Amino acid sequence: MEIRELDTTDPAALRAWYDVRERSVRADRPYALLATYAAFEVVATASSTYWSRTWFEAVDAGQVVGVAELELPLEENLDLGWCEVSVLTGHRRRGTGRALWDAVVARARQHGRSRLGGEVSLDLAVPGAGLAFATAVGAVEKHREDHLLADLPLPPAQLDPAYDLVAWRGRCPDEHRAAYLAMRNQMNADVPTGDLDLDVEVLDDARLAASEERLMRAYDVRVAAARRRSDGVFGGYSLLFVPHGTDHGWQDDTLVMPEHRGHRLGAALKSANYADLPAHVTQVHTWTAPDNTAMHRTNTTLGFRVVERMYEMEAPIA
Ligand SMILES: CC(C)(COP(=O)(O)OP(=O)(O)OC[C@H]1O[C@@H](n2cnc3c(N)ncnc32)[C@H](O)[C@@H]1OP(=O)(O)O)[C@@H](O)C(=O)NCCC(=O)NCCS
């Protein structure tokens, strides 16, 4: 068995890498939300100023049997890398996962990283081997979130009449960009991350624009925001991605600014986004820390149910 780096200029190799990852993950996780091939292709073929990414593959008798991804942040968290390792079911417990991990660690060390983080998601009914594997390579739990799923349509949640709904798709309109950036940065500072010791990512207009441009290539990006009628001040937003050509949405950030809390804006903004979706979108995924009581309750009240437990793991590699 040989570990090699994926040649991202080779479309057939890209496809093979993606298929092995998808089959490996799906084997244990019927509710997994996986990037579409189009979304993977965007990330794998367009370079980014903010991230350096490497993909590895384990090849046995000419077949790819396992894959790994390493992401290195380039602007902040320069001591850290993020990784994921996946091995096809028929090829497990033979050291393939560990060999991929070793390749990831060696590359991360070359770039001066001293710790590696990763997410392990476990199905509620039949938990897979992810946590045992992560523990075996020296990782410990730093944070936990629930993965929740809702079937659409959901009963609507009304927006407080003191607020107007401001919604857009794709790029945030110029007139709202300053307010939207302020809210996005508040979100990055406020979101609970447990024991994960992370620098907060700071978005400026250029970084927001780069992220919007990349995301729009693979996702229908939908934002619903609430603007107070009395003074035009924005009180919160909710961000939803619908991968092109799929039947599901992925609920990303929802933030209510501190002075606007207590008006059920979070539920109303999510609900506004879902109500506006085309009929072929029938499910929405989201992630919430179980101890983030306000948001967990908002989600279950809206109609979400927990389908997986997600563990943020981290291993020292210095
Ligand atoms: C987790 C995964 C990558 C392991 O791949 P693998 O090739 O079987 O891993 P290895 O054979 O190198 O196992 C390394 C160690 O992990 C632990 N481990 C792996 N699978 C295990 C299992 N089913 N039960 C208990 N321990 C397990 C063991 O300590 C093992 O060492 P050992 O075989 O000497 O006892 C694979 O099961 C998988 O792809 N699962 C789905 C995706 C996933 O959860 N990835 C982890 C998130 S990054």
Side-chain angles (χ1 to χ4, degrees):
M1 194 258 305
E2 175 206 0
I3 305 292
R4 67 185 186 205
E5 193 173 329
L6 171 66
D7 174 4
T8 56
T9 64
D10 176 349
L14 273 187
R15 185 87 231 185
W17 191 101
Y18 177 86
D19 288 345
V20 168
R21 192 234 171 192
E22 163 133 343
R23 281 161 55 208
S24 305
V25 174
R26 288 255 177 257
D28 299 281
R29 299 178 48 210
Y31 295 106
L33 173 63
L34 297 175
T36 59
Y37 181 69
F40 169 65
E41 198 179 22
V42 168
V43 174
T45 57
S47 72
S48 159
T49 321
Y50 305 102
W51 295 92
S52 159
R53 295 186 173 89
T54 314
W55 294 269
F56 296 95
E57 49 195 19
V59 183
D60 189 18
Q63 297 293 316
V64 179
V65 297
V67 295
E69 178 179 54
L70 171 65
E71 292 188 321
L72 302 175
L74 301 178
E75 289 275 309
E76 60 277 302
N77 295 306
L78 298 178
D79 62 330
L80 176 71
W82 299 103
C83 72
E84 188 195 73
V85 176
S86 313
V87 176
L88 288 175
T89 44
H91 298 265
R92 293 183 184 171
R93 294 312 284 273
R94 296 180 198 166
T96 304
R98 213 184 268 278
L100 285 161
W101 166 259
D102 289 344
V104 164
V105 169
R107 183 62 58 90
R109 279 190 188 134
Q110 273 172 19
H111 290 269
R113 312 293 158 135
S114 56
R115 50 192 180 123
L116 268 179
E119 295 178 356
V120 174
S121 293
L122 301 185
D123 186 65
L124 287 191
V126 187
L131 211 49
F133 172 75
T135 306
V137 298
V140 294
E141 181 187 330
K142 293 286 180 177
H143 181 55
R144 211 180 267 206
E145 293 196 353
D146 285 342
H147 171 196
L148 300 100
L149 188 64
D151 297 314
L152 300 179
L154 295 175
Q158 298 303 326
L159 182 62
D160 185 316
Y163 291 83
D164 276 327
L165 178 70
V166 180
W168 64 85
R169 289 172 64 186
R171 187 180 184 281
C172 174
D174 288 344
E175 66 267 33
H176 305 318
R177 279 183 98 74
Y180 185 48
L181 273 170
M183 292 193 288
R184 291 286 300 261
N185 283 318
Q186 177 85 31
M187 173 78 196
N188 288 343
D190 278 8
V191 69
T193 53
D195 297 333
L196 282 169
D197 179 15
L198 299 176
D199 300 335
V200 172
E201 184 180 307
V202 179
L203 271 186
D204 58 14
D205 198 82
R207 192 164 181 176
L208 173 64
S211 133
E212 288 174 328
E213 193 274 323
R214 277 171 92 90
L215 285 164
M216 282 159 57
R217 289 162 66 180
Y219 300 93
D220 177 8
V221 178
R222 292 165 171 261
V223 179
R227 188 171 53 189
R228 193 159 52 200
R229 289 174 194 258
S230 60
D231 56 6
V233 172
F234 276 87
Y237 74 99
S238 185
L239 173 57
L240 179 72
F241 302 119
V242 180
H244 292 154
T246 69
D247 61 357
H248 58 265
W250 157 28
Q251 173 67 62
D252 201 44
D253 299 354
T254 299
L255 171 84
V256 178
M257 296 292 266
E259 63 160 310
H260 299 261
R261 293 183 185 160
H263 297 269
R264 300 194 183 280
L265 293 183
L269 292 172
K270 289 184 178 190
S271 176
N273 262 337
Y274 306 156
D276 195 40
L277 287 170
H280 71 266
V281 180
T282 55
Q283 286 194 317
V284 180
H285 296 256
T286 195
W287 282 260
T288 310
D291 53 5
N292 184 352
T293 316
M295 192 48 79
H296 209 280
R297 196 168 295 152
T298 295
N299 285 328
T300 47
T301 305
L302 274 170
F304 281 88
R305 64 189 194 279
V306 177
V307 292
E308 293 190 314
R309 308 263 181 232
M310 192 270 275
Y311 300 81
E312 297 259 11
M313 307 293 287
E314 189 182 291
I317 58 161

